[in-house]
Amino acid sequence: MKDKRSIKEFFLKLSHSKAAVFIKNFIIKLFFLIFNPRFLLCFGIGWLITNGWAYVFMAFGVYFGIEWMVAVSGAYLTILWFPFSPEKIVTVAIALGLLKFLFPNDEKTLGILRDLYQKAKSDIKIIKAKRKDKKENKNNK
């Protein structure tokens, strides 16, 4: 009984920690950003730009017997399935750019993006300051 109670207390304390609250808020912001219909439209267009053409080429190439279309699309699709493919990053970047271009008045989504960007900038500054202090302390010893 004591073990179950202590585990329950541990998770209760953990759920109220600063890290848990930060992660919860981050996940909620990310959820509202990703599942916004405007962002989904832009992501779909970005996906068509980065990947969709290859699938269309493959379908038309196989259906009409055009060998160069099958070869080009097959080579590109093979590269896409490598784990180190930068295509996912490029697709999201295109989607964010299209979101800013097509929906400049969408303050809710763009506000979430600005908040995440400012948080990332401040976190990078904090990390750089810690590294600099660590390096100075190491040099002073």
Side-chain angles (χ1 to χ4, degrees), residues 68-88:
W68 70 268
M69 277 187 166
V70 174
V72 169
S73 65
Y76 184 75
L77 291 173
T78 302
I79 292 170
L80 283 182
W81 287 94
F82 285 139
F84 54 83
S85 172
E87 165 270 331
K88 290 126 187 98

Side-chain angles (χ1 to χ4, degrees), residues 7-140:
I7 292 172
K8 186 177 179 181
E9 289 173 4
F10 170 75
F11 282 114
L12 186 61
K13 287 179 184 176
L14 182 67
S15 67
H16 295 297
S17 70
K18 289 182 181 180
V21 171
F22 171 76
I23 291 170
K24 179 181 144 189
N25 290 337
F26 180 77
I27 289 172
I28 289 171
K29 282 182 182 180
L30 202 59
F31 178 81
F32 283 116
L33 173 69
I34 291 174
F35 292 106
N36 180 342
R38 292 177 178 140
F39 179 77
L40 287 175
L41 173 70
C42 294
F43 186 80
I45 294 170
W47 183 85
L48 286 173
I49 291 170
T50 57
N51 300 346
W53 67 268
Y55 289 103
V56 170
F57 265 41
M58 181 64 79
F60 281 120
V62 169
Y63 185 75
F64 293 115
I66 305 171
E67 293 178 11
W68 70 268
M69 277 187 166
V70 174
V72 169
S73 65
Y76 184 75
L77 291 173
T78 302
I79 292 170
L80 283 182
W81 287 94
F82 285 139
F84 54 83
S85 172
E87 165 270 331
K88 290 126 187 98
I89 298 168
V90 172
T91 302
V92 171
I94 290 172
L96 293 174
L98 284 171
L99 182 70
K100 287 182 179 182
F101 180 72
L102 295 176
F103 304 105
N105 297 328
D106 185 14
E107 287 302 320
K108 185 176 179 182
T109 307
L110 294 176
I112 292 172
L113 285 173
R114 273 188 232 106
D115 290 344
L116 291 174
Y117 177 68
Q118 292 301 326
K119 177 70 176 147
K121 276 178 54 176
S122 67
D123 287 348
I124 289 172
K125 286 180 182 178
I126 291 169
I127 290 170
K128 285 183 178 181
K130 285 182 181 178
R131 284 184 186 165
K132 185 178 179 182
D133 290 343
K134 189 176 179 181
K135 191 175 184 179
E136 286 175 0
N137 290 339
K138 189 176 183 180
N139 289 338
N140 290 338

